[in-house]
Amino acid sequence: MGKVFASNPLSLSVTDPAFESWLRDSGYLEVLDTATTASSAATITSTATATATVTHGLFHYLWTFLSLLTINPFAKLTTDDFSGKTPSWTRDFVGFLGSYSFPSSPQTLKLRVHENVKRYARNYASLFILFFACSLYQMPLSLVGLISSLALWDIFKFCCDRWNLDWYPVIRQVLVRVAQIATVIILMILNVQMALFCALAVSYAVTISHAAFRKLAPAAKQPSRGR
């Protein structure tokens, strides 16, 4: 039996990754967030109405929340994301009350996390530095250990310049290894790694929570390319 409809050679087929890339470059990625949220909400509502129970809805939101454990928030992060201008802390980063909502599906959650981490990379980095400074303030010995390790390497650089150790690469390499071992011992004894771990844990929790619940705000429009 022949085909009912002949294929149209002029029809266009755009893949989801290509469409998402175009939305990001054009500054309209929040449209995809809104559309996905509305579609998922409609699905949940119709399912709940058909089954007359909220069990499916609760399971859906629980599954969406647990999908955070399977997402790598830094998968699409590049060094270029740290070279731009820091977004405004009030208007862009924090936003308003209507700027937050529970992600309606794992797809929406993944989209928000990846895009928000790229947009607010400099904000998250600043928060990590702040949390690390607070950890060092709460742990004075760790602060002393960090300062001591930095001072050790300054002394090593001064000695290399004064004694012209660049002419003696073997001796210089041995001293580098000794300085590295001494630095590790200082950092471990004075619990600098604990302060770093606390800062990483808190900053990661803040980053993943903000990125997941923060709606995709309209991005700055990119200049259109010439035809």
Side-chain angles (χ1 to χ4, degrees):
M1 186 174 181
K3 295 182 179 179
V4 179
F5 298 101
S7 60
N8 183 4
L10 299 180
S11 63
L12 298 177
S13 179
V14 181
T15 61
D16 291 342
F19 182 58
E20 179 180 330
S21 177
W22 178 85
L23 286 173
R24 179 181 291 106
D25 295 338
S26 303
Y28 294 108
L29 195 57
E30 73 281 356
V31 176
L32 187 59
D33 183 6
T34 304
T36 306
T37 302
S39 176
S40 180
T43 302
I44 296 174
T45 302
S46 61
T47 304
T49 302
T51 59
T53 180
V54 297
T55 304
H56 183 274
L58 293 176
F59 178 79
H60 174 82
Y61 284 114
L62 179 61
W63 175 254
T64 300
F65 182 78
L66 291 178
S67 64
L68 275 174
L69 302 177
T70 64
I71 296 178
N72 178 13
F74 312 110
K76 296 185 178 181
L77 190 64
T78 62
T79 55
D80 295 336
D81 298 322
F82 295 94
S83 60
K85 183 180 179 181
T86 303
S88 171
W89 286 92
T90 54
R91 185 183 67 257
D92 297 330
F93 184 75
V94 177
F96 306 96
L97 292 179
S99 301
Y100 298 88
S101 67
F102 193 91
S104 57
S105 67
Q107 292 77 16
T108 304
L109 177 66
K110 183 177 180 180
L111 175 67
R112 286 185 181 181
V113 169
H114 286 163
E115 182 62 21
N116 283 330
V117 168
K118 288 178 65 67
R119 290 187 182 185
Y120 307 117
R122 293 174 62 90
N123 301 88
Y124 296 139
S126 300
L127 287 177
F128 167 73
I129 295 175
L130 177 62
F131 294 145
F132 187 52
C134 293
S135 299
L136 293 176
Y137 178 78
Q138 295 294 330
M139 305 172 67
L141 288 180
S142 298
L143 178 59
V144 172
L146 182 62
I147 295 176
S148 300
S149 61
L150 294 177
L152 176 64
W153 284 99
D154 286 338
I155 295 174
F156 173 76
K157 184 177 182 303
F158 173 79
C159 294
C160 288
D161 296 338
R162 185 175 181 82
W163 297 336
N164 294 324
L165 292 182
D166 292 336
W167 293 93
Y168 308 97
V170 177
I171 298 177
R172 187 177 187 276
Q173 190 67 20
V174 171
L175 292 178
V176 167
R177 298 306 181 199
V178 172
Q180 289 177 343
I181 295 174
T183 301
V184 172
I185 293 175
I186 292 174
L187 296 180
M188 292 184 63
I189 292 178
L190 298 181
N191 286 332
V192 178
Q193 75 279 3
M194 184 59 66
L196 181 62
F197 174 78
C198 293
L200 285 173
V202 175
S203 60
Y204 181 83
V206 172
T207 297
I208 198 70
S209 300
H210 178 269
F213 291 96
R214 180 70 163 88
K215 292 181 180 179
L216 291 179
K221 303 298 186 296
Q222 302 294 332
S224 58
R225 301 175 181 176
R227 296 180 180 178

